Amino acid sequence: MSVGHVARVFEAAGLPTITIAVAAFAGRLEPMQVPRLLLTPFLMGRPLGQPNDDETQRDVLRTGLRLLETAVATPTVAHY
């Protein structure tokens, strides 16, 4: 999963990142120590929720942005 490597490269360049993924991938992502990780309870391939569920998708994105603002240490793992 190259997402962890990409996140670290962006962070090293001064660009803060948040990785949003389904909880099924926690076992793979947590050891990678991505800087900020938001795990969601949704199905694989739908980390933001069901198609056309705009309210939930916006809420997941807002949660990710709050994590980006409030995380005091990296790596940080949060659950939606």
Side-chain angles (χ1 to χ4, degrees):
M1 297 184 82
S2 60
V3 68
H5 304 299
V6 172
R8 281 192 292 282
V9 168
F10 281 13
E11 292 275 336
L15 299 168
T17 63
I18 175 81
T19 301
I20 301 174
V22 295
F25 291 116
R28 291 185 179 185
L29 287 168
E30 286 176 349
M32 291 178 135
Q33 296 188 339
V34 295
R36 282 163 292 279
L37 174 61
L38 176 62
L39 297 171
T40 64
F42 307 117
L43 298 173
M44 283 192 223
R46 297 180 177 173
L48 301 182
Q50 294 293 324
N52 302 312
D53 185 354
D54 299 341
E55 185 177 330
T56 298
Q57 292 169 2
R58 278 192 294 271
D59 191 46
V60 171
L61 291 173
R62 284 187 201 107
T63 301
L65 291 172
R66 276 193 301 275
L67 177 62
L68 193 60
E69 292 175 343
T70 61
V72 293
T74 59
T76 299
V77 178
H79 295 267
Y80 175 76

